[in-house]
Amino acid sequence: MFAKLLKHDFRSNALALSILSAATVGMGIAAGFLLRLITQYEDFVNNTEEAGEAFYALVMSGSIISMSFCILGMIGSFVATFIILLIRYYRSRFTDQGYLTFTLPVKNHHIFLSAFLNIVIWMLIAWAALTIGITATILIGTTGTEFSPSDVIEYFGYYTELPTGYVVAAGIDTVVTAIYTVVIAMTCITLASTWVKRNRILLAFGLYYGVSQVVGTLESAFSVFTLIGGAEDPFYGDVTAIYNDSIIAVVLMIIVKLGFIAGGYILSTQLTKKTLDLS
């Protein structure tokens, strides 16, 4: 039954989310061609001298604005996917639809887990679409110009020079942060939906903001105390040694976020075990 619930959750917004992912890739390709036009402006000028500078300025400004909208659109599609999935979680668990959901012959924690996995799967799809879109923008926009994809790779190659321990810790922290974001958002919706009858979304936003501020403060405190107490001067010391000192702060934040994940999961499942007023 859990598999059927997960399948139902996955299909519920499949059309809208698929369109958003496809649109993300499409906007990435469009942004690539616009970037190519911008980076090859000299050839464009030579081919349109008879059109005058005014026409050139109009086309270039339009290209820059359009490319900016495409990039913002890709980011917006990614954010919209997350919002749609959270709305789906709220409606399927804490509105009239929730009556049916909580009467299904599945364990209580499976109801939360199904929604969580559904969000994770679709966010991975959205992330893949965003990555493809950005890659398309870079490849189409820079190949054959004075810039090249290798310049971008060389720029990000800086991160390969960081200490291995820091890179591994940062990678784990990225994954944990993504899971933490989803679980805390779902937990805040659960709390708001079981505490009040009105303004649930507003309360959920407030709770999420409060938790984010607490975690952000802890992260800043850990970073500052780690650098101050480290073996190297944070301003003039060896960069590699400074990153090694920062590993402690990253590990501490991983532990904190894992605690919030576990706490959010337990709290949400315990709250939904009680009789919910879904009106």
Side-chain angles (χ1 to χ4, degrees), residues 196-259:
V196 299
K197 295 182 180 180
R198 298 181 178 179
N199 301 319
R200 291 173 172 175
I201 300 301
L202 184 61
L203 177 58
F205 272 114
L207 290 171
Y208 185 83
Y209 177 79
V211 173
S212 298
Q213 290 301 305
V214 171
V215 173
T217 301
L218 288 174
E219 189 166 12
S220 298
F222 288 155
S223 298
V224 171
F225 289 141
T226 300
L227 290 175
I228 292 177
E232 292 288 331
D233 188 301
F235 298 103
Y236 303 105
D238 178 68
V239 175
T240 300
I242 293 173
Y243 275 111
N244 283 328
D245 292 337
S246 300
I247 293 176
I248 300 175
V250 176
V251 172
L252 287 174
M253 282 312 304
I254 290 174
I255 295 173
V256 169
K257 291 171 184 175
L258 287 174

Side-chain angles (χ1 to χ4, degrees), residues 153-164 167:
I153 296 173
E154 183 179 352
Y155 173 78
F156 286 102
Y158 158 77
Y159 294 99
T160 62
E161 300 175 2
L162 296 177
T164 302
V167 173

Side-chain angles (χ1 to χ4, degrees), residues 119-139:
I119 294 175
V120 169
I121 291 170
W122 275 113
M123 290 309 296
L124 286 174
I125 294 173
W127 179 256
L130 182 62
T131 302
I132 293 172
I134 293 174
T135 303
T137 300
I138 295 172
L139 291 177

